[in-house]
Amino acid sequence: MLKVNNLSVSVNDKILLSDFNIDINDGEIHVLMGPNGAGKSTLCKVLFNNPDYTINSGNIIFNNVDITNMDPSEISKLGMYIVNQSPISIEGVSNAEMLRIALEERTGEKVGIFKFNKELEDVCTKLNIPKDFIFRGINEGMSGGERKKNELLHMWILKPSFIILDEIDSGLDVDALKIVANNLIEYKKEYNCSILIVTHHEKLIELMHPDYVHIVKNGKVSKTGDYNLAINTLKEGFINGTLDMTGSISNE
Ligand code: ADP
Ligand code: MG
């Protein structure tokens, strides 16, 4: 589904990713871990061709299409979706309005408003969020945790096949974390999507049970393993004092 090949990325001559490789198949869950500043968020943003970053070499192939230099709206239409570390708010544009337009853009069909509103309400129930979220401005006046849930509301409507979650756990309390993880698992069961998760949160890793775990250091994947690599990295880090309180591995 997604192949990142020898990707090198910089900002103002500072190299942030060098020779980065990752290969994610249909229906797989991958976790990225690593110290603060290792390049995890950079990778997530570059997958969507964020214009702040310069791609020096390598490419990104999504379902056999080279998306390395593609417009983000086109990448989105191909079925990629990102929940950023800090989702921004857009005042004055309601969730429902934005989603209806996005959906019409994506499918090329007119959205029937009654069926659409019913679908939105059903997702609000699933996510345990008030139904008035539907008509609120995008993330307007919402807490960090509510924003993350709101991003999942968008996911259910836009139905992406590949989902990137950059620290979705930040801002979520323990109950919200469980709702979010179970919701993602329910979505994956229904649509067999692939998921890339950036996290150091043990509970989230436990709940999502990834197929592959990659440790990112200095802008490249330094180690790949299975679920146990994540659990051992967290455990050894705590025992040896190599994992600081923010969850970054400082001396692995
Ligand atoms: P991580 O998510 O692994 O903590 P990031 O990918 O956010 O790390 O950042 C990697 C490095 O790149 C950091 O040193 C960060 O300061 C730098 N960086 C990221 N984005 C930019 C940018 N737009 N301009 C300048 N430096 C950046
Ligand atoms: Mg980050």
Side-chain angles (χ1 to χ4, degrees):
M1 170 160 279
L2 180 83
K3 275 185 202 298
V4 175
N5 300 309
N6 305 318
L7 196 69
S8 295
V9 170
S10 60
V11 166
N12 306 328
D13 296 334
K14 183 182 173 195
I15 294 174
L16 307 184
L17 296 179
S18 74
D19 230 3
F20 194 103
N21 288 285
I22 199 167
D23 190 348
I24 301 177
N25 292 312
D26 289 3
E28 287 179 352
I29 300 181
H30 288 234
V31 158
L32 291 184
M33 302 170 80
N36 289 332
K40 305 178 299 296
S41 294
T42 300
L43 176 77
C44 296
K45 290 185 228 171
V46 165
L47 291 178
F48 253 99
N49 198 14
N50 184 309
D52 293 349
Y53 301 91
T54 307
I55 295 173
N56 302 312
S57 57
N59 60 23
I60 304 164
I61 310 293
F62 183 54
N63 288 329
N64 299 318
V65 178
D66 189 334
I67 60 163
T68 321
N69 297 306
M70 205 180 260
D71 190 81
S73 63
E74 295 301 317
I75 297 173
S76 162
K77 279 189 203 161
L78 294 175
M80 202 186 276
Y81 184 70
I82 183 164
V83 176
N84 281 307
Q85 206 164 343
S86 317
I88 56 157
S89 66
I90 306 170
E91 292 176 18
V93 181
S94 77
N95 270 321
E97 205 178 334
M98 182 279 286
L99 286 171
R100 187 181 53 76
I101 293 166
L103 198 58
E104 286 180 352
E105 271 286 313
R106 184 150 176 205
T107 60
E109 287 168 21
K110 209 123 191 80
V111 168
I113 207 73
F114 289 107
K115 189 167 162 269
F116 178 65
N117 282 351
K118 171 80 175 63
E119 200 179 344
L120 280 166
E121 285 184 6
D122 289 347
V123 180
C124 284
T125 307
K126 272 194 226 281
L127 285 164
N128 196 25
I129 49 181
K131 295 204 168 74
D132 75 358
F133 260 46
I134 298 169
F135 304 106
R136 281 212 230 162
I138 300 165
N139 293 328
E140 199 175 339
M142 294 185 190
S143 70
E146 286 176 333
R147 285 178 189 219
K148 300 294 171 80
K149 284 187 175 180
N150 198 33
E151 298 286 307
L152 296 193
L153 170 72
H154 298 177
M155 172 190 80
W156 277 93
I157 300 301
L158 298 173
K159 300 184 180 42
S161 56
F162 184 82
I163 298 154
I164 306 160
L165 306 165
D166 192 0
E167 311 228 2
I168 186 139
D169 44 273
S170 66
L172 294 180
D173 62 39
V174 127
D175 295 325
L177 186 82
K178 278 189 198 152
I179 290 170
V180 161
N182 290 333
N183 190 263
L184 284 164
I185 288 165
E186 188 184 337
Y187 181 87
K188 184 175 178 297
K189 268 200 191 124
E190 202 160 329
Y191 297 103
N192 191 37
C193 64
S194 309
I195 311 180
L196 177 65
I197 311 172
V198 176
T199 189
H200 296 104
H201 201 294
E202 190 167 5
K203 189 76 199 161
L204 183 65
I205 293 170
E206 225 179 273
L207 290 166
M208 297 302 296
H209 206 97
D211 303 291
Y212 293 94
V213 172
H214 311 276
I215 309 296
V216 181
K217 270 185 182 176
N218 298 325
K220 61 172 71 173
V221 174
S222 72
K223 203 172 186 180
T224 292
D226 60 12
Y227 173 74
N228 293 315
L229 175 62
I231 299 306
N232 290 339
T233 302
L234 289 171
K235 211 186 292 165
E236 281 166 20
F238 280 117
I239 292 166
N240 300 329
T242 51
L243 202 66
D244 71 25
M245 292 312 284
T246 59
S248 61
I249 303 146
S250 50
N251 183 28
E252 202 202 13

